[in-house]
């Protein structure tokens, strides 16, 4: 899913506030973020296991609020949102939040 599609769907249920996550569409969006996180973690773990340098150095566990996630997505210029996947956006956020020591 692209950042544009994600934000369009998120905005359509945002009027529900915290209850938005309890809707089928909210669950689907949450699932997209969880899947991106799992894919990201699998890649980072594989890189570490193979002795390759990772793109970021996150802790073993962490949290990401919906507000933090949406704020990150909204930082993408409107004209590029369609070409950026949720996975790529997740990866970029992890690079920003958890840079590896130089």
């Amino acid at each position: 899913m692209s950042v544009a599609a994600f934000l369009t769907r998120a905005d359509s249920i945002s009027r529900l506030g915290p209850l938005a996550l309890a809707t089928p569409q909210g669950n689907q969006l949450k699932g997209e973020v969880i899947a991106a996180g799992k894919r990201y973690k699998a890649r980072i773990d594989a890189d570490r296991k193979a002795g390759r340098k990772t793109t970021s150095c996150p802790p073993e566990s962490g949290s990401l609020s919906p507000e933090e996630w949406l704020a990150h997505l909204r930082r993408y210029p409107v004209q590029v949102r369609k070409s950026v996947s949720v996975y790529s956006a997740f990866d970029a956020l992890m690079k920003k939040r958890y840079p590896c020591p130089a």
Side-chain angles (χ1 to χ4, degrees):
M1 176 182 295
S2 72
V3 168
F6 190 98
L7 287 173
T8 297
R9 291 178 183 183
D11 289 344
S12 75
I13 60 172
S14 66
R15 63 179 166 30
L16 300 174
L19 296 175
L21 289 174
T23 66
Q25 195 163 357
N27 280 328
Q28 180 189 17
L29 294 175
K30 182 179 175 182
E32 284 284 326
V33 178
I34 289 170
K38 286 180 179 180
R39 184 176 164 200
Y40 165 80
K41 182 167 177 13
R43 192 194 80 229
I44 292 292
D45 289 348
D47 285 347
R48 286 179 177 156
K49 187 176 179 178
R52 293 186 296 262
K53 185 175 178 182
T54 59
T55 57
S56 58
C57 295
E60 276 302 312
S61 64
S63 64
L64 177 64
S65 75
E67 294 79 18
E68 290 172 310
W69 173 243
L70 291 171
H72 172 70
L73 296 182
R74 288 191 173 101
R75 286 186 189 102
Y76 283 92
V78 174
Q79 60 272 22
V80 300
R81 290 178 181 176
K82 285 185 179 182
S83 64
V84 178
S85 70
V86 166
Y87 174 72
S88 294
F90 190 93
D91 188 58
L93 179 59
M94 293 300 103
K95 286 177 187 175
K96 180 179 172 183
R97 283 180 85 177
Y98 305 110
C100 293

